Amino acid sequence: MHMYMYLEAFPEELREYYRKLFGDEAEVLMEKLREPVEKYYIRVNTLKTSRSKLMQILRKEGLKPKRSPHLKEGIYFDREGPNFPDDFDPTLPIVRANKFAAESVYQGAMLYAPGVLQAHKKIRPGDEVQIRDPKGLLVGIGIARMSAKEMILSNRGIAVEVILPKFRLPSLSELQGFREGLFYAQSLPSMVTARVLEPSEEELVVDMAAAPGGKTSHIAQLMQNRGEIIALDKSKNRLRKMEEELKRLGVKNVRLIHMDSRKLPELELKADKILLDAPCTALGIRPKLWENKTPKDIEATAHYQRQFINAAIKSLRKDGILVYSTCTLSYEENEGNVKYMLKKGLKLEEQDIFIGSNGIGFNSVQRFYPHRHMTQGFFIAKLRKV
């Protein structure tokens, strides 16, 4: 056990919360949250290509794609690493990166100047350096491409070329196949979510918090670009990016609407199916070098989510299906809100694709755990309005 891991990474209240909820598994769960996923997934865009064709293309690029045993549109790559131990402490000069940049370097990205917080004043271009996060965790070793002063003052350019990251995931956004829209980088549980929704072209499908568009575009491909999907998001900026993403993927059956989806009933529609991938505390996202959220945040977020749930229930036709998902681990935001939906008269449905674990106190909801399933932490429930 690395003491650094627990003392620094999670607030004491959150560690306590995890221990109460997950018992003996809490420690290994927290350890796993610090690392990137072991299997890095992408979704084949079947509107444009097939899995075997895409695998051939990726192999030509020198990559080692593997078929998902669960989903025929899934491909994954094995993570490389850890490439050095946590206490690996050479006497190299230190460059400190902000949390976001450190998490990127940790998985194999370059360190760009805007991500640098501090740099040892003697650093010159060409020097070997170590990169650490703001709390001191070593995330990578690299070669300085700027002097210490330039690193601090520049607002663009590569500060450190990372030679040895702690872990390495494949870099795919530079590939021709990415530009052509042949795939979308998406986690396995996130792909399972659209599958659980089982959309079809005769149905009116609503995606309530849609940007950046991973699940929306997956729903579109399951509907073979037919029928209509209404996708809402309250951020204009995110919607604009989503529009570009849908264009790259060749998705044509999505109507984007700029609105806070808590106001969905104002559209006066009766949807056959609604996907609510609810805004959440994101406690399941990996890698998480550290976490600041506490049980108070969990409580507040669970209440906030109910406003979306209420809007979804109002906008669903009788007998319609609501799929509720989150990328968090808490009870209140997951099973707690399922209980709330059951009180509101919804009924739990079995899920066709079930590769996670049963929920806490429920058998037909699906939980993904980092340490059991080698995925993000994730939750999926499927309910019917009766």
Side-chain angles (χ1 to χ4, degrees), residues 95-102 104-105 109-119 131 143-162:
V95 176
R96 253 182 227 290
N98 67 32
K99 180 175 189 266
F100 178 76
S104 300
V105 168
M110 297 296 157
L111 176 58
Y112 292 89
V116 175
L117 292 176
Q118 288 167 308
I131 304 161
I143 305 295
R145 290 290 168 239
M146 296 177 173
S147 69
K149 195 175 177 185
E150 285 174 313
M151 285 183 196
I152 300 300
L153 297 177
S154 299
N155 54 14
R156 54 186 304 179
I158 292 177
V160 181
E161 186 182 334
V162 177

Side-chain angles (χ1 to χ4, degrees), residues 209-255:
K215 294 181 189 71
T216 312
S217 56
H218 192 192
I219 293 168
Q221 94 180 34
L222 293 174
M223 290 163 72
Q224 295 175 309
N225 243 344
R226 297 198 280 264
E228 186 179 39
I229 303 163
I230 292 173
L232 299 92
D233 205 274
K234 67 172 184 181
S235 156
K236 226 177 195 147
N237 195 21
R238 279 161 64 94
L239 272 183
R240 197 167 46 242
K241 285 189 181 133
M242 179 167 168
E243 199 169 3
E244 284 165 25
E245 204 51 23
L246 295 179
K247 207 172 279 172
R248 178 180 76 84
L249 297 164
V251 170
K252 296 190 169 74
N253 62 341
V254 173
R255 181 148 69 99

Side-chain angles (χ1 to χ4, degrees), residues 36 55 114 130 133 135 139 168 292 305 323-324 361:
M55 286 181 75
Q130 51 174 314
D133 82 350
K135 295 194 174 187
V139 294
R168 200 189 298 273
N292 299 323
Q305 288 163 339
V323 169
Y324 175 82

Side-chain angles (χ1 to χ4, degrees), residues 113-227:
V116 175
L117 292 176
Q118 288 167 308
H120 190 284
K121 59 179 186 294
K122 290 204 168 113
I123 292 173
R124 296 278 166 270
D127 289 356
E128 196 177 359
V129 297
Q130 51 174 314
I131 304 161
R132 291 185 178 265
D133 82 350
K135 295 194 174 187
L137 182 76
L138 181 63
V139 294
I141 309 290
I143 305 295
R145 290 290 168 239
M146 296 177 173
S147 69
K149 195 175 177 185
E150 285 174 313
M151 285 183 196
I152 300 300
L153 297 177
S154 299
N155 54 14
R156 54 186 304 179
I158 292 177
V160 181
E161 186 182 334
V162 177
I163 305 301
L164 189 66
K166 176 80 182 208
F167 297 96
R168 200 189 298 273
L169 297 176
S171 177
L172 301 169
S173 56
E174 305 301 311
L175 301 180
Q176 181 67 24
F178 176 83
R179 287 193 288 276
E180 289 173 10
L182 304 185
F183 62 87
Y184 185 93
Q186 188 174 17
S187 76
L188 178 63
S190 172
M191 283 190 239
V192 171
T193 307
R195 284 291 194 156
V196 166
L197 188 69
E198 294 183 279
S200 76
E201 57 180 284
E202 309 78 54
E203 295 168 332
L204 174 59
V205 180
V206 176
D207 187 350
M208 279 179 76
K215 294 181 189 71
T216 312
S217 56
H218 192 192
I219 293 168
Q221 94 180 34
L222 293 174
M223 290 163 72
Q224 295 175 309
N225 243 344
R226 297 198 280 264

